[in-house]
Amino acid sequence: MVNFKKARERMVETQLAARGIGDARVLEAMRKVPRHMFVDEALRDQSYNDHPLPIGEQQTISQPYIVALMTESLGLSGGEKVLEIGTGSGYQTAILAELAGRVFSIERHPALAQRANQILQQLGYQNCIIRVGDGSLGWRDDAPFDGIIVTAGTPAIPQPLVDQLAMGGRLIVPVGDKLGQDLYKVERAPEGIRKTNLGGVRFVDLVGKWGWKE
Ligand code: SAM
């Protein structure tokens, strides 16, 4: 039987800090959130390993390092309003809920959204809300957002998400083909939109109006 707390500590030291994740708040959140609760019981022993895991509906919970890298890139200091596209297991949602003021998350598979919601409730997170739908359209009613994170790969940056960024806001999004993408940070600055390539990643597809077609 794995000691989950120890496995989490080891994950933070060997997979995150050792690879350059330096934001103390992000490391603390990853030390705290019980990742094993977001995966199927049969896979719990692997939940702190250095790779993604299946969560049903042919989707995955992302590798811990990728969760940390994307979260750190949002530059959260607390109190922000954040939008997540692709709730999946709800693990990334919990990390965001630890670091931001309010988290809005959208998932296209109702079964995943329901399970994620259940676990987040059970763990006591009260500052996140999950909706079922096409997240490539964003969440207009509650825009603008200080941070937007897309946890699925898209052929191009969905324009509604750029439009829903607050001034100074950051959008983190994997853009590329189905086999691999580059992770982009898109910032809305007074001078205009600034894009930075953060490096290569591999995600499941963002399926929707502004992503891949079904
Ligand atoms: N953040 C998740 C976690 O911590 O478990 C990982 C998410 S998984 C890599 C990507 C998720 O995006 C899948 O659950 C998938 O169903 C969802 N997805 C794909 N296209 C979507 C869309 N247009 N709107 C909302 N969710 C979408």
Side-chain angles (χ1 to χ4, degrees):
M1 184 68 182
V2 171
N3 178 327
F4 291 124
K5 192 165 184 305
K6 274 202 182 137
R8 211 150 52 233
E9 281 292 332
R10 204 164 40 238
M11 170 192 85
V12 168
E13 295 315 316
T14 63
Q15 300 174 37
L16 312 185
R19 287 190 188 136
I21 303 296
D23 184 327
R25 294 181 72 242
V26 173
L27 295 174
E28 195 46 44
M30 304 258 327
R31 224 174 250 126
K32 180 175 172 193
V33 175
R35 181 174 162 92
H36 60 278
M37 295 294 288
F38 294 86
V39 304
D40 195 85
E41 241 167 281
L43 297 173
R44 281 201 177 149
D45 285 1
Q46 300 177 51
S47 51
Y48 296 99
N49 292 358
D50 193 16
H51 51 72
L53 286 169
I55 54 170
E57 309 286 349
Q58 295 176 312
Q59 305 302 322
T60 53
I61 176 172
S62 304
Q63 178 192 12
Y65 174 71
I66 293 296
V67 174
L69 176 67
M70 293 178 84
T71 308
E72 182 173 65
S73 305
L74 280 175
L76 301 172
S77 54
E80 292 92 346
K81 197 160 87 173
V82 174
L83 173 65
E84 177 190 32
I85 314 301
T87 316
S89 68
Y91 174 66
Q92 171 83 73
T93 321
I95 297 289
L96 294 170
E98 290 284 341
L99 297 168
R102 275 191 298 160
V103 183
F104 299 78
S105 186
I106 312 180
E107 170 56 52
R108 65 184 287 267
H109 288 291
L112 294 181
Q114 197 189 351
R115 197 167 61 205
N117 197 36
Q118 214 167 33
I119 298 160
L120 289 162
Q121 295 289 314
Q122 195 184 321
L123 293 174
Y125 288 103
Q126 292 182 344
N127 60 339
C128 47
I129 167 164
I130 297 174
R131 174 188 275 183
V132 175
D134 177 6
S136 75
L137 300 166
W139 189 312
R140 263 230 320 260
D141 300 352
D142 285 284
F145 297 95
D146 305 303
I148 302 180
I149 183 169
V150 184
T151 68
T154 171
I157 298 172
Q159 189 57 40
L161 301 185
V162 179
D163 296 342
Q164 290 174 29
L165 269 184
M167 186 53 69
R170 282 86 56 198
L171 160 66
I172 310 297
V173 55
V175 183
D177 60 29
K178 292 191 176 218
L179 296 178
Q181 306 89 32
D182 283 312
L183 190 61
Y184 278 94
K185 176 173 176 173
V186 180
E187 292 170 88
R188 179 183 287 282
E191 321 79 72
I193 297 294
R194 216 172 23 222
K195 281 185 214 164
T196 316
N197 188 336
L198 303 175
V201 286
R202 185 167 182 182
F203 274 90
V204 295
D205 297 349
L206 180 78
V207 179
K209 180 159 185 219
W210 292 83
W212 297 99
K213 303 296 165 241
E214 258 182 281

